[in-house]
């Protein structure tokens, strides 16, 4: 009986390093950055921005997460050795409302946490994708958002939907004069937005008199300041003017927007 106890103790001691090693391997994936397209978007919406990050060796695309109403499919392979992994998110239904997009994003975050044992993530959103990311993070996401870049976010309306050219403006308080339903929702839950997040909001102005990028007004894209400035760890915003500042051009063709995004997400 005594020999049996010694044998069992030896087995346990031999297994302990293996168990610890497996736990270390399981948690060794680096913090990923999610790239989320907007309404009617797809692979090409943020593809050139991802290509630029890869060209500069700042980030590496490891997965495409294709989200359908029924499931989430991962395409690609994520080696643990990748220092700055990129996950490109594609909504099969790219015309869904922002609440559905936000729910799907939170389902994705839950899966990523379970599958890769993650704790944190960064994100880059364009247009409706920016709005979905903000709303998702106001509803108890599975992962902690560390850095967020929102490009041409339609937080308080869009010119093709419910906004009008030069109709909205900022009040002295910094709040938009006209509050659309999506912005009302952001305001309602803003105290739940993660306090540890650093945020950069980017807007475009075509200098054509509309004070917009042709789709999203400056007021809408920069309205996040009033909602989140006092909530988050850091809030910055930047406006780009003139050439390549049309709504879809900002992340695809504007190299200054691309570089600003890359430098903010991966500062070192």
């Amino acid at each position: 009986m005594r020999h049996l106890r010694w044998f069992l103790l030896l087995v346990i001691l031999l297994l302990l390093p293996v168990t610890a090693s497996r736990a270390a391997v399981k948690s060794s994936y680096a913090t990923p950055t999610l790239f989320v397209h907007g309404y009617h978007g797809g692979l090409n919406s943020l593809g050139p921005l991802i290509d630029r990050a890869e060209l500069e060796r700042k980030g590496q695309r490891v997965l495409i997460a294709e989200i359908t109403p029924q499931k989430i499919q991962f395409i690609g392979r994520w080696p643990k050795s990748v220092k700055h992994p990129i996950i490109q998110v594609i909504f099969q239904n790219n015309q869904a409302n922002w609440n559905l997009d936000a729910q799907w994003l939170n389902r994705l975050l839950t899966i990523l946490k379970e599958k890769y044992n993650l704790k944190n993530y960064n994100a880059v959103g364009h247009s409706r994708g920016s709005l979905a990311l903000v709303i998702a993070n106001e509803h108890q996401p599975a992962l902690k958002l560390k850095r967020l870049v929102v490009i041409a976010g339609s937080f308080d309306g869009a010119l093709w939907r419910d906004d009008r050219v030069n109709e909205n403006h900022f009040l002295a308080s910094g709040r938009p004069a006209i509050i659309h339903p999506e912005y009302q929702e952001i305001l309602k839950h803003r105290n739940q937005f993660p306090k540890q997040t650093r945020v950069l909001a980017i807007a475009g102005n075509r200098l054509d008199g509309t004070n917009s990028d042709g789709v999203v007004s400056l007021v809408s894209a920069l309205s996040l300041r009033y909602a989140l400035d006092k909530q988050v760890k850091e809030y910055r915003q930047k406006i780009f003017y003139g050439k390549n500042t049309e709504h879809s051009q900002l992340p695809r063709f504007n190299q200054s927007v691309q570089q600003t995004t890359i430098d903010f997400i991966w500062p070192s």
Side-chain angles (χ1 to χ4, degrees), residues 62-229:
V62 293
L63 296 174
I64 294 174
E66 185 177 26
I67 299 179
T68 73
Q70 294 78 29
K71 65 179 182 179
I72 296 177
Q73 178 182 358
F74 293 101
I75 302 167
R77 189 177 70 88
W78 184 350
K80 298 182 184 71
S81 59
V82 176
K83 187 177 179 181
H84 294 142
I86 291 172
I87 301 174
Q88 187 171 11
V89 178
I90 302 297
F91 296 113
Q92 186 188 65
N93 179 3
N94 62 4
Q95 300 176 52
N97 67 46
W98 52 85
N99 280 314
L100 269 178
D101 286 347
Q103 291 173 26
W104 290 335
L105 284 174
N106 274 340
R107 181 150 52 97
L108 171 62
L109 295 178
T110 299
I111 292 172
L112 289 173
K113 179 179 181 180
E114 294 171 351
K115 187 177 179 67
Y116 298 101
N117 199 32
L118 301 173
K119 295 181 180 179
N120 306 312
Y121 80 109
N122 303 316
V124 176
H126 175 240
S127 191
R128 176 74 68 85
S130 299
L131 174 60
L133 279 165
V134 170
I135 291 178
N137 278 279
E138 290 184 335
H139 291 81
Q140 300 179 331
L143 300 178
K144 292 182 178 180
L145 179 61
K146 305 301 287 185
R147 290 179 175 269
L148 173 65
V149 177
V150 285
I151 304 171
S154 53
F155 304 115
D156 191 23
L159 297 180
W160 48 266
R161 188 178 68 241
D162 53 4
D163 199 3
R164 299 291 180 272
V165 172
N166 292 323
E167 183 178 56
N168 209 351
H169 64 278
F170 288 116
L171 302 175
S173 64
R175 197 201 79 177
I178 301 172
I179 296 180
H180 296 95
E182 58 270 43
Y183 192 67
Q184 182 63 53
E185 184 163 352
I186 291 174
L187 291 178
K188 181 179 179 181
H189 301 285
R190 62 178 167 176
N191 290 337
Q192 298 178 42
F193 194 89
K195 292 180 170 59
Q196 78 279 348
T197 308
R198 299 179 185 271
V199 179
L200 170 63
I202 291 175
N205 186 344
R206 298 190 304 177
L207 297 177
D208 60 356
T210 66
N211 292 301
S212 76
D213 61 17
V215 175
V216 174
S217 70
L218 292 178
V219 173
S220 183
L222 302 179
S223 62
L224 206 59
R225 181 172 194 165
Y226 177 80
L228 297 182
D229 187 25

Side-chain angles (χ1 to χ4, degrees), residues 220-251:
S220 183
L222 302 179
S223 62
L224 206 59
R225 181 172 194 165
Y226 177 80
L228 297 182
D229 187 25
K230 295 180 180 178
Q231 174 71 12
V232 297
K233 186 172 185 178
E234 178 185 7
Y235 177 88
R236 302 183 201 172
Q237 61 185 35
K238 190 165 186 177
I239 304 172
F240 291 85
Y241 298 90
K243 185 179 179 181
N244 289 333
T245 58
E246 190 273 330
H247 188 69
S248 63
Q249 291 177 344
L250 283 165

Side-chain angles (χ1 to χ4, degrees), residues 28-33 57-62 78-86 118 122 265-268:
S28 64
Y29 290 95
T31 299
T33 300
R57 298 184 179 180
K58 287 295 187 72
Q60 181 177 336
R61 178 166 29 198
V62 293
W78 184 350
K80 298 182 184 71
S81 59
V82 176
K83 187 177 179 181
H84 294 142
I86 291 172
L118 301 173
N122 303 316
I265 292 291
W266 300 290
S268 58

